[in-house]
Amino acid sequence: DIYFHSHSDFDFSKIKNRYKGMHIIRDPRDLIVSATHYHAKSDESWLHIKRPEFGNMTYHEKINTYSTFGDQMLFEMENSSAREIRSIMNWDYTDKRFLNVHYEELMQDNRLELFERIFRHLGFREWHIGWCLMIAYRNSLFSGGVKSQHVRSGKSRQWPEYFKPPHKKRFNELFGDVLVLSGYLTGQDDDWDSL
């Protein structure tokens, strides 16, 4: 059985069998940039439901009331992306049943070394690993054979182009140490929010 957490919202405590999993984390700053682009244009049904908290506008209509991408980002940061980032903050990173994987590493794993580690962690049998790797490659963005309306670019580290001082300040107010917790505040980004 395979469960996708963000699309099924299952409760781990209700799973009676032993299980292993993979937890994919994306840089929360890039998540905001990507979601802002996507939510301003997407035709996903949830984006087009009128909501009282937005003055009876839809999410799609509300985000598009902002005239600049920067203002749209602030709205996104405080709404849909906030839920996703809180789930990153609340994840139990010590749970050994789950392999924590950074999205950015997957996007660059064209030698499929991380993918192989994932399949082994999940318990695929040795003779299935080759098939799993072939399927992963064929369905990866780096293979060049996959086109998706959901994916605008898939590139990592887009946030430096978009995050200005007000975005950095609001991000820190809302999400505190999420970058440390999720392993994104290391090395070159240690002073990412210096204004």
Side-chain angles (χ1 to χ4, degrees):
D1 294 325
I2 298 175
Y3 299 89
F4 293 97
H5 178 263
S6 15
H7 293 284
S8 57
D9 254 354
F10 61 93
D11 181 351
F12 291 116
S13 67
K14 293 185 179 175
I15 300 175
K16 302 301 179 200
N17 300 328
R18 293 183 324 141
Y19 60 88
K20 290 182 178 181
M22 171 181 61
H23 176 233
I24 299 178
I25 315 146
R26 185 173 189 183
D27 186 319
R29 299 161 296 187
D30 278 341
L31 188 151
I32 292 165
V33 171
S34 178
T36 302
H37 280 288
Y38 186 71
H39 293 156
K41 294 180 174 70
S42 174
D43 61 359
E44 281 188 24
S45 60
W46 73 271
L47 289 164
H48 299 277
I49 297 169
K50 300 222 178 269
R51 313 239 318 252
E53 65 266 36
F54 302 141
N56 213 30
M57 283 190 273
T58 68
Y59 195 96
H60 182 265
E61 289 168 338
K62 182 66 177 172
I63 199 169
N64 283 299
T65 63
Y66 297 97
S67 59
T68 68
F69 188 79
D71 288 341
Q72 288 177 329
M73 266 179 48
L74 287 170
F75 171 79
E76 177 63 34
M77 189 184 309
E78 294 171 351
N79 288 280
S80 181
S81 287
R83 287 187 295 281
E84 295 299 320
I85 295 169
R86 279 191 219 102
S87 75
I88 293 170
M89 294 168 72
N90 294 328
W91 184 258
D92 179 2
Y93 289 88
T94 65
D95 188 340
K96 297 297 181 202
R97 294 172 294 190
F98 284 86
L99 183 63
N100 294 300
V101 176
H102 286 116
Y103 164 89
E104 296 79 8
E105 293 171 338
L106 277 176
M107 296 302 292
Q108 298 173 20
D109 187 34
N110 56 8
R111 295 179 65 187
L112 304 176
E113 293 165 349
L114 179 55
F115 278 99
E116 182 173 351
R117 198 167 102 223
I118 290 165
F119 295 133
R120 291 187 187 285
H121 171 80
L122 293 174
F124 283 92
R125 295 195 169 119
E126 189 65 36
W127 59 86
H128 290 141
I129 298 290
W131 285 103
C132 292
L133 293 173
M134 181 181 66
I135 292 166
Y137 182 80
R138 285 184 180 164
N139 291 282
S140 68
L141 290 177
F142 55 74
S143 73
V146 174
K147 303 292 181 228
S148 168
Q149 291 181 332
H150 191 86
V151 178
R152 182 180 51 82
S153 80
K155 284 195 262 178
S156 304
R157 292 189 53 81
Q158 296 177 49
W159 67 264
E161 179 183 343
Y162 295 98
F163 267 68
K164 308 302 181 219
H167 305 107
K168 294 175 181 182
K169 181 177 186 288
R170 187 65 177 138
F171 182 92
N172 284 331
E173 290 168 356
L174 291 169
F175 310 119
D177 64 351
V178 68
L179 296 175
V180 173
L181 180 66
S182 58
Y184 283 100
L185 199 57
T186 58
Q188 63 183 347
D189 289 341
D190 284 351
D191 62 349
W192 85 276
D193 62 344
S194 55
L195 305 175

